[in-house]
Structure formats: C-alpha cells, structure tokens
Amino acid sequence: MADIVKEKSVSGGSVESVVPGDEGEEKFKSTHHILFYKRQRAKHGLRYCASLDTLALTERGASLEVFEAKSKERLLLQIWAVQNGTVRVAIDELQPIKPRYKVVDVLVGEPRCEQLRIEWRRAGCVSLTWGPGQHQVRVSASPFCLEVVCEEEVIVTLNPKGRLCFETLQDPPRPYSSLHEDEEDPLGLWQENFKQFRDIKANGPSSVGIDLSLHGFTNVYGLPEHADSLRLKDTSGSEPYRLYNLDVFGYKINRRLGLYGSVPLLVAHKPDRTLGVFWLNASETLVDLQYSNHEEGDNGPTVKWSRLSPETNVSWVSESGQIDCFLLLGPSPAQVFSQYAQLTGYQALPPLFSLGYHQCRWSYDDEEDVKSVDAGFDLHAIPYDVIWLDIDHTERKRYFTWDSKLFPNPIDMQLHLQRKKRKLVVINDPHIKADPHWPFFFAARDGHHFVNDRDGNVYYGTCWPGNSCYLDFSSSRTRSWYASQFSFDKYKGSTESLFVWNDMNEPSVFNGPEQTMPKDAVHCGGWEHRDLHNLYGFFQHMATVEGLITRSGGLERPFVLSRSFFAGSQRMGAIWTGDNIATWEYLKISIPMLLSLSITGIHFSGADVGGFWQDPDPELLVRWYQAGALQPFFRGHSAKQTKRREPWLFGDTVTSAVRSAIQQRYYLLPYWYTLFHLAHTSALPPTRPLWVEFPKETETFIMDNQYMIGSALLACPVTDPGVTEVKVFLPGSDELWYNVSSGEQHRGGGTLTLPVTLETVPLFQRGGTVVSRRTGCGSCTAELQLHPFTLTVALASEGNAEGMLYLDDGHSFNYRDKKQFSLRTFTLWSGRLTSSCAAEEGNFISDGKLESVVILGQKKVNKQPTVNSAAGKTTVKFQFEPEQAMLKLTDLNLGIHTDWEIII
Ligand code: NOJ
C-alpha cells in the first residue's frame, strides 16, 4: 500500500498504518490543541449564584434561575427525581438566542419522575425531597452548588469548586464572511485551526463544564473507550480522559486519547455504595479526575457533619450542547446498572449463533477461499458459526455490492454455509463512494441523505473507496432509507443468513481533521457535526439494526457489529475494540477495556482475537483464543498484511489448544445465553469486575486481570508469555471456589498460585452456584443444541447452591412477542436438587434433556440418589469420588424445562 508510515508501538517495534498517507499519532490533538478545554480551564473567576426565589415546582421536577455574578448571564437549572433512585440535573441558557443541541434517541423515553417537594428553606439554601424522603437535593444560592444527600450523607456535590462555566450563545462579532483565513482567534471562539484544517464555528463559543465531588469515593471506573486500566487514573498534571470518537489505528495503550466509541458514564464504587454519573452530551468531552483526601470545597458544605473523606473530584467539559447530568444513586452496583439501563436501554438479546465463534480476516479472497476456510473448521473439528467478509468483497468498495469476479455467486455461497447452519457477516461502512454512475450513490444524493459541508453543499471526504460522501444517520428519514436498502429485493446477493458489520463509523475520514469529519459539517436540522459527533456510529448501528429487523418482517433478531458506539448502543448489538496489535500488552489490556464497556452498559463486546495487526507467535495466539473464549464477543480477525492464521496453521499443539478453548466456549453457551438474558432483562453485565460481585473486598478494586462471568465463574486468563504458574485472587473468606478443570476446592480470601501449561485456562466456579453446559458441541451452535445438558453444582460451605437457565428458540423475537421462553431455577438445598420454573408466563417447550449433574464439594453419599419427575420416582446412576468430593449423576434423561427433584 502506498505511503505507509511507521509508528513506534508500545512494545518498541514498529506499526505500519493501513491508512494511506498516515501521519501517525501526530494527526491527533493533544490537550493543548483543544481550545474550548483551555478556555474552560482559564475561566476561574466565574461565580454563579442561584436565585432561590425563582424556584418553581412543576409536576415533573423543579426549576430555578442561576446567574453569573458579573456578566449577569442567566441559566435555567432543572432538577428531577427520576423514579428508582436517579437525580437528573440539567442546565441550559434561560433565553438562548437559538436552541442548543439536545441529545436525541439515546434515552429510551422521557424518564418517569417523582413529585419533588420543598423539605425546608433556610437563608441561602433550599432542600428538596421526594417519595418517602430518604433523599434530598440541596441547592445553595451563593455561590451556587447542589448537593445530593442520601440518608443524611452527602454523596455528590455539583460545582463544589466553582468550575461551572457555561458559554452562552452570542451573535457573531460580524458576519462570517468577514472572518479571514489569516485572522487571529487565539481562543478559538469563532474559528480555530488545527494543522491544515480550519473549523468555522457557526455558533461561536458554546462549551459547557462543571465539576462534581464524589464524597467518600476513591475508585472510579467507566468512561470508555480508552486503552487504559479499569480503575480510572488521577489526571492531575496529565491528560484528561477524552471522549471523542476517532479511528486510531494501532492505538497506544495506557493512554486517554479518545478511541472509536464513547460512553460518558462514570461509575464510582466504595464498599457500601456504588454511584453512577451519566453526562448526556454527544460533543467532544474531556473528563478530569482527582482522587484526594477531603479538602473543604470553596463553597463550604451545607451538611458539614456528614462529609466523608476522602473524595474524588471530577470535572466534565463538553464543546457544545447542554449540561444534562444523571446521578445514579445505587446504592448497589446492580442498582446502578439497572438505573442506567432504565434510561438508555438494556442489552439486545443476541441471536445464539452470535455468541459462538466468528472467523474473520481482511479479507477472505473469494468464494473458494470462504468455502475452504469453512471446510477447514470441519476437517479440524473446530466449531464456529460465522465467517466474515471485509471491504474487498465489494465492487470497488461500494457497499451493498459484490465483486463479481471474486464473489460471482454470493447466494450459492450463503446457501452452502446455510446447509451447515452457518452464517455470513459482511462489512457495510458509512462512507459512500462518490460515483455518479452508481444508482445507490445518486439515490442517496438526490434523496438528500448525505451530510453537508458548512456551505450547504454535500460534504466530500476520502475513505477506502476514495472520494466519498457520508450518510447522515442522525436523520431518521435517512436511517429508514438506509434500513430499506437491506431488504432482500434491494440488496442483491443477500439472504437471511447474512448479517452486518459497521466499520469506520466514527466516522473515519482519511483526509479530515484527526481523521474524522470536520466539526463544522452540517447534519439534518442544521446541527453542526460538533454537536453530535459521538453519536454518528450509534446512529448507523441503529439504522442497520432496523434494516435487518425490517427485512425479516420484524420476526428475527439482528446481529450487527459496530466499531463506533455511544451510550445506548447496547440496544443495537455488539461492538469491538478496533485495531489492536498482536502483542501481549494488547491481550492484557483487552480485559480492562472490555470490563469498562461492560459496566457502562455495552455488554456484547470483544477484541480482535490474535491481534488485528502484526503476526502473533503461536503461544500468544493460543492464549488469546483462551481469553477471547471467555469474553462476550469472540471473533478472530487480522489485517490484510498479516500472515494467514486459521487455527490449524500452527501445528497440532496449537490446533488442539485452540480447539479446546473454542469447544469450552460452546459447551458453556447455555450459561452465556442465560447471562445475556439477564443483561437484557435486568442490566446485569455478563462479564463483571470482581468488585461487582464482592463489593466490600477492597483488594478487588484495582484488579485488571481477573473478572467474573456472571456470578458463578471467575476467569483469570493467562496473558504473559512463558509462564508456568499464575497468581489468582479468590475473593471472600467465607467463599469456596472450585477449579473448573480439576474440580479442586479452594477457600476464598487469598491468592492461589496455580501451575499452568499451554492448555490451562484458569477458571473457577464459586461455591453456591449452578452452571449449565451442553455435553457436546458439534460444528456450530445449531448442532450444539442437539446435545443434552449437564449441570455443575458447586456447593457453598453450607452445602447449598443455586443457578438459572434461560431457553428460547435462539433467533426470533418470539421470546418477546409470544412469550416463547423458559426460565428455570436449579436449587440444591438439604440434599435436594430441584428444577423449577422461574417465570410462569414463559411457554417455550424445549426438547433438550438433562443428561448429567456434577456436584462439587459433596463429601459423602449415604444412600442411592433418586429422582422424582413427571415420569415417577426412579433411582439415579451415580459415581462418587470421595477424595475429590465429587458426585456425578448420569443417564438422567430429564426434560430440561420440566420440574423434577433429585434427592441425594
Ligand atoms: C478497520 C477495521 O478496524 C478493521 O477491522 C478492518 O479490517 C479494516 N478497517 C478494513 O475494513
């Protein structure tokens, strides 16, 4: 490829970009280039006061005026108590000269609010409360600050250090036309230059910022996407966390530069409370964090006695829009997740196949190549569900087309895969080749579906096809039009087994500032790109999902992978962490990166297994497969310039280790699918930092290398080369843990040294849980479903255990529309293992059978186990290994969705 540049990678090697003419890191801004951030930082002298006499209670909340003491600029402060433990605080201009952008389509609806009432008024302070009155919002007048109080404890203060800074819209000093290229505007009020790019600001300075103190909290998480530790770092004297969706090929790790997607949700945790701060703003946003021992804020607290020390100070700055801040009061991690999902939606329930293994490469050459890779999986007895086609499958990078030489019979190819119950995913990017001979292009142009430049003409930028235009997915009209392009009659060569991958949707514009769209480009409604930049990929994802649902007549669940995302993207499907590198550091960082996503609602995420760029050595490849098999979205992917790396190309040892990792994933899919059902219905993340399950265990607060899969499994993938042992922290001094591969029991509350070989995948089951698996896997998830189930019951020290299993048809919306699902609870208590229905309304009939049960931690067996089921009472075959404290019940042949009881 022409003009390839080399960049230094973290590991000291060099990384060649795939972007033509790439300037490398240099093309991205660092904080000193971000002028609105500098302006916000420079404005210390502002002093806002609240006019308490303007307080008005409405049916849905409260409002009052806030003004800046010197300029007298007036703002409107609105406060709502959202049902179920969330406080929303919004600040806008009282009388803007024109409306400011308000984020749309991220909240699932207008949040339901409780009636606020005045609890008391004192000089300079008013306290509002609602419901039974355990929570209060206290507004102090001069200087303005707002405290949220829970059970007499101040949890959060807004504006404690007087950082509120709201740039109100002004009329331009003179018409734009007289702003000359060479004119100085060092503060970047109306225009600013970055490299060769000039940004003309139609609305002038419009940034907003405020600070918050999170009292008693010193561990803060979230704010993806950054290639950094799970626990966020103190940014004093260094770069803030930047939320600005960018295409950063081979991103450096341990950095806070914005990557492909953003979720402006921060989650703070301490042993007795978890708190969320959701900043609903889609423009470029910077977040500074300072962990500190408590210093009294400049304003002085209104509730002095209850201040806790230490605290975290957080300061948010966004380039435009409004302040719209949701404080999710928890108090448990699960409640914060649920409060957040009630606002932005729950994880879409993925079709079962998409939880299997995905085989991708940029690119599989042609139909023969696809068929031979597909056959390779069968030949080597490695299950997989989906093969992927990257940009080269198209006719010169025109999405919705096929290269007729390489893919002359796409339907036959899909039918070939369908016969094996496998799927195809093809790429579909947001840039549209500017080709006046291509009907799709001129239909989009003539239908006014493209983003415009600041002069009102269609905006052109370059990406893979060369000169391109960009669909304006922020328009619901354009989303519907684009969605309609996925109908089978329009998208020639597509079948119902074709699913979609949205890439480059930050959007990536090779010749744009920071390789993205200029901020002064214009979207429907006249909004500048600056206002909604971080939503662009979210909107494409939304449109593609709509397209796939519509093409199935609303019956089938879609699968769409997107690179860019925003808060709420979980409703659409999956995302991945973009262009990582085949080194151990990138394998390691994939864990905290995915956990950060997981706690901010984006549950279906993965990293390119093996590393996108460069060639992994066989050991790294194996370790990556083992780790990837324990992460939500599991896809092997590699760049064009890398060597082929289908799992069987590295000799028998590697093939067998990779096969085993993938097979283990398939066996465990009933458990994963149940976890996704729980994410879909109650917002519990399938993969969780340890502190989510062990909120009081402070050792877990900084752990990056271990996590929970649901509440039952603890994973600690090996992420270092050449190791013969790993250290695994098993939390909870009253917990028992069982090594999944050996059944060996360990007491919690300490660190275990576990010997490892290349085949070892450190995975532990927590005592007190039941995990469902299939006993075999076949070649894909459809075949997996033909195998019976087995339950692993791991006893807690009291001898009890509990777990759930969710079942449905795995692909349609019948679980939702016709209640065709089944939710089972398995409980072991006093020597009785029972299977009962956990949701009476579910009417799914599964023909699955339970074949066996393994009970870990069973010390003795006094009598012949028996089973009671609809078929009557029978004895159960069993094997008991007293030394391993393991009881195995076999040949059960019980209906998986029926009630039964086994007496041990
Ligand atoms: C960039 C994506 O991150 C990568 O996964 C893909 O292979 C290339 N674009 C080519 O489409």
Side-chain angles (χ1 to χ4, degrees), residues 342-395:
Q342 286 170 46
L343 297 172
T344 64
Y346 292 80
Q347 176 65 53
L349 180 65
L352 179 65
F353 80 81
S354 64
L355 293 176
Y357 173 63
H358 299 252
Q359 180 66 32
C360 188
R361 176 170 175 82
W362 178 15
S363 282
Y364 283 121
D365 299 339
D366 53 22
E367 286 171 7
E368 279 320 300
D369 198 12
V370 167
K371 287 182 185 164
S372 98
V373 171
D374 175 71
F377 277 90
D378 292 333
L379 187 66
H380 296 92
I382 302 175
Y384 93 106
D385 266 75
V386 194
I387 187 157
W388 291 52
L389 294 179
D390 208 316
I391 47 178
D392 306 308
H393 81 277
T394 59
E395 189 72 53

Side-chain angles (χ1 to χ4, degrees), residues 174 190 200 241 263 273 304 383 538 543 563 642 666 687 727 805 832 837 872:
R174 28 183 204 285
W190 292 91
I200 305 274
Y241 286 91
V263 185
R273 182 176 279 281
K304 289 198 176 82
F538 164 97
R563 191 168 72 175
T642 59
Y666 275 73
T687 52
K727 302 253 186 253
L805 173 65
R832 279 167 194 265
C837 176

Side-chain angles (χ1 to χ4, degrees), residues 104-374:
V104 288
D105 296 312
V106 168
L107 298 183
V108 286
E110 204 44 57
R112 285 202 273 159
C113 297
E114 310 225 20
Q115 175 75 61
L116 288 176
R117 58 180 188 273
I118 296 173
E119 190 193 32
W120 48 251
R121 274 179 197 265
R122 291 182 192 148
C125 185
V126 61
S127 177
L128 303 170
T129 193
W130 61 97
Q134 316 112 295
H135 299 140
Q136 285 80 32
V137 171
R138 292 181 185 161
V139 182
S140 296
S142 183
F144 159 66
C145 86
L146 184 152
E147 292 179 323
V148 179
V149 184
C150 298
E151 289 100 19
E152 291 303 305
E153 188 184 315
V154 182
I155 304 297
V156 189
T157 307
L158 261 89
N159 204 33
K161 297 190 188 301
R163 283 277 181 80
L164 172 61
C165 173
F166 203 107
E167 293 184 327
T168 50
L169 302 185
Q170 307 154 29
D171 288 320
R174 28 183 204 285
Y176 296 143
S177 52
S178 65
L179 284 170
H180 295 300
E181 295 265 314
D182 50 1
E183 196 155 346
E184 290 278 308
D185 187 354
L187 299 176
L189 300 176
W190 292 91
Q191 58 185 20
E192 92 182 56
N193 296 335
F194 173 63
K195 300 189 163 263
Q196 71 271 37
F197 303 101
R198 167 153 295 223
D199 174 14
I200 305 274
K201 306 177 182 187
N203 297 320
S206 57
S207 69
V208 297
I210 199 166
D211 57 320
L212 286 92
S213 280
L214 315 179
H215 303 294
F217 293 93
T218 51
N219 293 287
V220 170
Y221 310 88
L223 296 184
E225 183 176 36
H226 299 97
D228 209 350
S229 54
L230 176 62
R231 177 178 181 267
L232 301 178
K233 299 203 175 108
D234 189 312
T235 63
S236 323
S238 62
E239 43 170 353
Y241 286 91
R242 186 177 186 207
L243 296 172
Y244 192 57
N245 298 352
L246 291 171
D247 175 4
V248 191
F249 171 81
Y251 47 83
K252 299 217 164 74
I253 59 174
N254 301 318
R255 295 286 299 273
R256 299 153 203 174
L257 174 76
L259 297 183
Y260 311 93
S262 306
V263 185
L265 170 66
L266 183 146
V267 179
H269 177 70
K270 57 181 180 156
D272 59 346
R273 182 176 279 281
T274 308
L275 170 82
V277 181
F278 175 42
W279 178 261
L280 181 54
N281 189 303
S283 68
E284 179 176 357
T285 295
L286 295 137
V287 187
D288 273 295
L289 285 177
Q290 212 188 342
Y291 293 114
S292 67
N293 282 319
H294 174 60
E295 287 165 37
E296 199 150 286
D298 300 342
N299 300 323
T302 52
V303 188
K304 289 198 176 82
W305 69 89
S306 59
R307 275 287 169 87
L308 289 175
S309 143
E311 65 188 15
T312 301
N313 293 299
V314 188
S315 133
W316 298 80
V317 172
S318 289
E319 186 174 8
S320 67
Q322 313 178 348
I323 292 179
D324 195 358
C325 185
F326 295 78
L327 305 167
L328 318 171
L329 303 179
S332 69
Q335 282 165 303
V336 169
F337 301 145
S338 158
Q339 285 152 354
Y340 179 67
Q342 286 170 46
L343 297 172
T344 64
Y346 292 80
Q347 176 65 53
L349 180 65
L352 179 65
F353 80 81
S354 64
L355 293 176
Y357 173 63
H358 299 252
Q359 180 66 32
C360 188
R361 176 170 175 82
W362 178 15
S363 282
Y364 283 121
D365 299 339
D366 53 22
E367 286 171 7
E368 279 320 300
D369 198 12
V370 167
K371 287 182 185 164
S372 98
V373 171
D374 175 71

Side-chain angles (χ1 to χ4, degrees), residues 362 390-391 427 429 464 501 503-504 563 576 578-579 608 612 635 637:
W362 178 15
D390 208 316
I391 47 178
I427 203 162
D429 291 354
W464 303 123
W501 170 18
D503 187 18
M504 313 301 275
R563 191 168 72 175
W576 93 108
D579 298 345
D608 284 347
F612 173 69
R635 181 186 75 156
H637 182 41

Side-chain angles (χ1 to χ4, degrees), residues 219 221 270-271 694-703 729:
N219 293 287
Y221 310 88
K270 57 181 180 156
F694 301 95
K696 295 193 188 311
E697 301 260 330
T698 49
E699 295 95 319
T700 65
F701 294 1
I702 51 162
M703 280 190 181
F729 176 71

Side-chain angles (χ1 to χ4, degrees), residues 100 118 124 137 163 177 198 211 237 239 298 330 332 415 419 497 521 595 613 724 758 829 835:
R100 300 176 67 109
I118 296 173
V137 171
R163 283 277 181 80
S177 52
R198 167 153 295 223
D211 57 320
E239 43 170 353
D298 300 342
S332 69
L415 292 178
R419 280 192 285 278
S497 61
L595 289 176
W613 190 246
T724 52
L758 187 64
W829 186 249
S835 163

